[in-house]
Amino acid sequence: MNWLEKAQERQQEMIKDLQALVRINSVLDESTATEQVPFGEGPLKALNWMLEQGKIQKMNVVNMANKVGYIEMGQGEEMVGILCHVDVVPAGSDWVHEPFGAEIEDGKLFGRGAIDDKGPTMAAWLAMKMVQDAGITLSRRVRLIVGSDEETGFRCVNHYMANEEIPTLGFAPDADFPIINAEKGIAETTYRQMNVTDNDEQLRSFHAGHRINMVPDFATAIVKNVSSQIKEQFEAYLVNENVIGEITNDNSNTFTLTIKGVSAHAMEPNNGVNAAIKLATFLVNHLETPVSKQFVDFIVKGFGTETRGHALGLAYNDEMSGDTTLNAGVVEYEAGRIGEVRVSMRYSVSYDFEKSIEQGKQALEGTGFELIIDDNSEPHYVAPEEELIQKLSAVYERNTGEKAELLAIGGGTYARELPNGVAFGMLFPGEPDIAHQHDEYVIIENLVKAAAIYADAIVELATVKA
């Protein structure tokens, strides 16, 4: 079967569906969340839209408490899972294209979620339809599992795993080709300032970031009783650092400072420009009151020069998965109330987590901060000799003519929730990773190629030789 030819014939169908899905703003919205609408109206609308497509195809469709759902085809005792998600991170700033406009330009479809993960979801969905329409007999069922809270805690897929059948094997089209068989551990941590008393502190507030899994692209601070030269000094700093910002004099002794950074996925903070770090680096030389100085000093010393955790006693590297990384994603300070830095830590597969965290706590002695572990998802690894790896390798190699190298990533996909699951596409080697960045896009030609690969993979994985 020439799956690429079939996918090319149905390209416009896939684009139309993807545009409809991207145009749904499916960012977590706590303001509209209820027991019946667990993650807000947008994520539920996107989930229901996806499940409706399954009903149109007359497949088996199940909605599980408006958190997660699945679309299933075929027969058999065992089941292949394809794990996707339709929620997205906030749009952020600096878009040229409308974040939820699904505009097409130069062979690219732009929009939040275009590559993470609505585009890959549509490629996998077209693959299922092509296999169904081809009338191929499968010996395993195929189930497209659709989550709506992947970006903010996996509550959707956790609900699925606790209440439904676990796939025999499966993949998440939510990362890179060829095959990702190792995912770093992901710990959500908070560095909390222990003394936030306000004895006329110069720093009144400091805020940066939407989510800890994004490099913050904005930061703002209010300061008082600082040098009369701060305006000129800040403007010079902006020029020297080649960043955009602004300072306003709110009254005779109070100033508001803002800096714009560049958003990126937390798995590689070096791909972005952390606005919180840029702002703290300026303020560290302009604040003298103890709590204010301690707060910005900690940000600069802990995260200002590198993202690998050396200054915080958490650095580690292994050959299998590379560096441990730390992203200072949400920073909050209010005089007399709170001072904290929330960090997404992506740690190497062979990392001794408990031992390293203890070292990290000891490294904080004298800083005025404590380390709190809010959540921890352990690393995930599938051995190369497993059926899943062998079959997907064959699929990738015959569709691309390239060797199926095994990769490790710092991102976390649904694959880590399966005992026998990997991330499989859909970024091809050499493509830039623009997930969580402004003007996120998917290359339409690659979307079609991915759909063909996924159709081949479905047949390969769902066919068991007697």
Side-chain angles (χ1 to χ4, degrees):
M1 182 72 70
N2 188 332
W3 292 117
L4 181 58
E5 185 177 282
K6 294 290 185 184
Q8 288 169 337
E9 291 172 357
R10 300 176 70 164
Q11 174 178 309
Q12 290 307 313
E13 172 190 341
M14 180 166 52
I15 290 173
K16 181 181 177 181
D17 284 347
L18 178 55
Q19 286 181 309
L21 187 55
V22 167
R23 285 169 180 156
I24 299 172
N25 180 344
S26 51
V27 176
L28 171 73
D29 183 4
E30 301 283 10
S31 70
T32 59
T34 65
E35 186 175 347
Q36 294 300 314
V37 187
F39 311 125
E41 293 176 357
L44 179 56
K45 183 178 180 181
L47 175 63
N48 283 335
W49 183 92
M50 193 68 233
L51 296 180
E52 183 62 28
Q53 308 314 302
K55 293 177 183 177
I56 292 170
Q57 294 299 125
K58 297 183 172 19
M59 296 185 189
N60 181 33
V61 175
V62 174
N63 181 328
M64 300 177 62
N66 287 339
K67 297 178 179 180
V68 61
Y70 63 81
I71 304 169
E72 184 178 276
M73 69 179 188
Q75 304 294 324
E77 292 186 8
E78 296 186 330
M79 182 250 289
V80 176
I82 306 172
L83 287 76
C84 306
H85 69 91
V86 292
D87 62 307
V88 298
V89 297
S93 59
D94 297 328
W95 285 71
V96 174
H97 302 84
E98 171 59 40
F100 300 102
E103 301 170 26
I104 295 175
E105 183 179 306
D106 296 330
K108 302 172 182 176
L109 191 151
F110 290 85
R112 178 56 86 221
I115 196 65
D116 181 19
D117 185 41
K118 293 179 177 180
T121 298
M122 286 297 96
W125 174 232
L126 178 60
M128 282 184 67
K129 291 189 289 184
M130 290 193 298
V131 172
Q132 180 191 55
D133 293 347
I136 296 173
T137 301
L138 305 175
S139 49
R140 285 172 172 154
R141 287 168 289 131
V142 179
R143 182 176 289 185
L144 186 74
I145 301 169
V146 184
S148 61
D149 182 50
E150 194 268 358
E151 298 290 3
T152 49
F154 279 40
R155 289 171 291 182
C156 50
V157 78
N158 289 341
H159 181 77
Y160 175 91
M161 295 298 171
N163 294 281
E164 256 291 351
E165 178 185 357
I166 308 301
T168 307
L169 42 69
F171 64 87
D174 190 18
D176 302 334
F177 284 124
I179 300 168
I180 293 169
N181 71 317
E183 295 187 11
K184 293 179 182 178
I186 303 176
E188 296 184 2
T189 68
T190 299
Y191 288 89
R192 184 164 297 155
Q193 194 171 18
M194 292 181 285
N195 175 20
V196 290
T197 56
D198 181 15
N199 293 314
D200 204 27
E201 288 293 327
Q202 290 171 292
L203 183 62
R204 308 312 301 163
S205 68
F206 189 117
H207 298 284
H210 301 285
R211 303 270 178 81
I212 67 170
N213 62 351
M214 300 172 68
V215 175
D217 63 357
F218 77 96
T220 182
I222 298 175
V223 298
K224 71 173 187 178
N225 299 333
V226 291
S227 167
S228 60
Q229 304 300 312
I230 192 170
K231 188 174 188 298
E232 292 80 5
Q233 293 166 341
F234 185 63
E235 290 171 347
Y237 175 77
L238 296 175
V239 172
N240 186 61
E241 294 295 314
N242 193 29
V243 292
I244 297 172
E246 184 180 17
I247 182 169
T248 58
N249 189 185
D250 301 330
N251 57 47
S252 60
N253 67 350
T254 302
F255 295 84
T256 298
L257 301 85
T258 61
I259 280 185
K260 293 179 68 175
V262 177
S263 183
H265 197 293
M267 66 181 175
E268 182 41 87
N270 290 347
N271 287 341
V273 176
N274 192 310
I277 294 171
K278 288 292 185 182
L279 185 52
T281 300
F282 173 78
L283 290 175
V284 76
N285 295 314
H286 294 81
L287 300 178
E288 299 175 353
T289 50
V291 178
S292 304
K293 178 74 171 177
Q294 185 183 72
F295 183 75
V296 293
D297 191 56
F298 177 77
I299 296 172
V300 173
K301 289 181 178 177
F303 307 97
T305 58
E306 50 87 34
T307 60
R308 270 47 188 170
H310 289 89
L312 296 169
L314 298 172
Y316 183 81
N317 172 287
D318 65 22
E319 187 174 348
M320 188 187 311
S321 55
D323 291 338
T324 293
T325 63
L326 278 73
N327 177 60
V330 178
V331 182
E332 184 176 8
Y333 177 93
E334 291 287 346
R337 187 180 72 84
I338 190 173
E340 67 179 29
V341 183
R342 293 178 56 208
V343 175
S344 179
M345 174 180 171
R346 312 291 172 117
Y347 60 91
S348 308
V349 169
S350 60
Y351 200 65
D352 187 332
F353 185 76
E354 297 300 329
K355 178 181 177 181
S356 298
I357 290 299
E358 187 56 38
Q359 291 175 181
K361 290 180 177 180
Q362 293 175 10
L364 294 177
E365 187 174 345
T367 66
F369 279 74
E370 61 180 337
L371 172 58
I372 299 166
I373 308 302
D374 300 311
D375 187 56
N376 179 39
S377 176
E378 295 182 351
H380 176 69
Y381 177 76
V382 178
E385 61 270 17
E386 292 288 342
E387 174 194 359
L388 177 65
I389 302 291
Q390 294 296 310
K391 286 189 169 183
L392 290 183
S393 294
V395 166
Y396 182 81
E397 289 174 3
R398 69 170 165 256
N399 280 274
T400 66
E402 300 173 357
K403 183 172 175 55
E405 301 285 351
L406 300 182
L407 308 173
I409 60 168
T413 74
Y414 283 151
R416 69 197 298 121
E417 301 301 315
L418 298 180
N420 198 9
V422 298
F424 187 51
M426 66 155 269
L427 280 177
F428 287 90
E431 271 195 90
D433 184 0
I434 37 69
H436 296 199
Q437 299 182 31
H438 63 83
D439 283 304
E440 178 183 344
Y441 63 83
V442 64
I443 298 172
I444 293 172
E445 180 182 0
N446 289 348
L447 194 68
V448 174
K449 286 167 54 180
I453 292 172
Y454 291 147
D456 195 3
I458 287 170
V459 175
E460 185 76 24
L461 295 177
T463 303
V464 182
K465 295 180 181 178

